[in-house]
Amino acid sequence: MKTRILVALIIAGCSSATQADWSATVTGASDYLFNGVTQTDHQPAVQASLDWSGASGAYAGTWASNVDFGNDTKAEVDGYLGYRFELRPGYSVDAGLAYYSYHGGSDSADSNYPEAYLKLGIAGFNLNTWYSHDYSGLDVGHVVVMLQRDFKINDRWTIRTQLDRSTSLDANRFAWDGDRDHYVHWQVMNQTSYAGFDFALGVSGTTLSDASGDTVLLFTVSRTILF
């Protein structure tokens, strides 16, 4: 039901716009990391998205990737709907809803969950927050807070840095590393573009002791088509 509601909102938003841009992106990654935790058992991932952006600042899209959790779940498909506007140059607000769904096994959908997010652009910094009341379908609150900053080296190279904290609001129902209510993730990526492709190479790590959060070298290559 939640999935159908989100899809309906996306369709309604798209059909109401008089001016809109569409884009599709295909990405190859050496690992699919979600807040620093591998979703593919540290194996490569192929990902794709379809995005719509309206002239008013509204946007919607869907995103998909292969996953490997050691069970029958093989794919993740997400949907999102939001609105972004600029208060003044360098200061922006982006708020929206997302829905994560999982496919492949008879019980894969048990992990589906919704999420609300708020992203603030403040003088070159991005302060982003995500909240779910039903994280991974476990009926437990979960919050992620991220601070992100890009450093432009020159016209070709940009260093993207981020630091985020994932927190369970009820460690008795869901905990990281078995007994912790939170962990910290950091990532530094060097990004560039060439011949229509976007490349990124960097390092990502967490404070988790579990191998799923190990420090890894991450490489991605993507291509976006506008239409």
Side-chain angles (χ1 to χ4, degrees):
M1 177 61 73
K2 294 175 181 177
T3 303
R4 290 197 293 269
I5 291 173
L6 182 60
V7 171
L9 288 172
I10 292 174
I11 293 173
C14 293
S15 61
S16 65
T18 57
Q19 295 182 350
D21 294 320
W22 289 86
S23 65
T25 301
V26 177
T27 300
S30 59
D31 196 348
Y32 169 20
L33 299 178
F34 185 69
N35 300 324
V37 176
T38 182
Q39 308 294 289
T40 51
D41 195 25
H42 293 304
Q43 297 302 308
V46 177
Q47 304 163 341
S49 66
L50 177 64
D51 294 281
W52 168 88
S53 178
S56 67
Y59 63 87
T62 185
W63 180 93
S65 175
N66 61 293
V67 297
D68 183 357
F69 301 136
N71 54 26
D72 291 334
T73 301
K74 301 301 180 184
E76 174 186 340
V77 180
D78 306 335
Y80 40 89
L81 173 68
Y83 185 79
R84 184 185 185 279
F85 62 94
E86 195 170 75
L87 299 172
R88 58 176 175 141
Y91 293 81
S92 63
V93 178
D94 182 347
L97 299 172
Y99 190 78
Y100 301 79
S101 67
Y102 300 90
H103 309 268
S106 59
D107 59 351
S108 295
D110 292 346
S111 298
N112 295 357
Y113 67 98
E115 190 174 67
Y117 59 86
L118 176 64
K119 303 177 181 181
L120 304 177
I122 307 171
F125 289 88
N126 292 306
L127 179 60
N128 306 333
T129 303
W130 295 264
Y131 167 75
S132 177
H133 71 279
D134 186 25
Y135 186 69
S136 292
L138 298 173
D139 193 28
V140 61
H142 191 267
V143 176
V144 180
V145 179
M146 174 193 293
L147 182 63
Q148 189 269 328
R149 175 70 189 269
D150 289 348
F151 298 91
K152 187 173 182 179
I153 306 303
N154 52 42
D155 291 339
R156 291 192 58 188
W157 298 95
T158 298
I159 303 295
R160 167 159 288 199
T161 64
Q162 70 181 67
L163 181 68
D164 51 88
R165 171 176 163 142
S166 297
T167 304
S168 171
L169 301 184
D170 187 348
N172 291 323
R173 296 178 62 87
F174 175 82
W176 295 101
D177 267 347
D179 59 357
R180 298 171 56 187
D181 67 352
H182 76 277
Y183 74 92
V184 175
H185 164 236
W186 57 270
Q187 184 168 294
V188 180
M189 299 293 290
N190 191 5
Q191 301 178 322
T192 190
S193 298
Y194 179 76
F197 290 86
D198 297 318
F199 300 89
L201 177 65
V203 181
S204 177
T206 75
T207 57
L208 292 170
S209 61
D210 188 273
S212 63
D214 281 351
T215 299
V216 296
L217 185 68
L218 180 64
F219 173 73
T220 66
V221 56
S222 62
R223 179 69 180 265
T224 298
I225 301 173
L226 304 177
F227 52 93

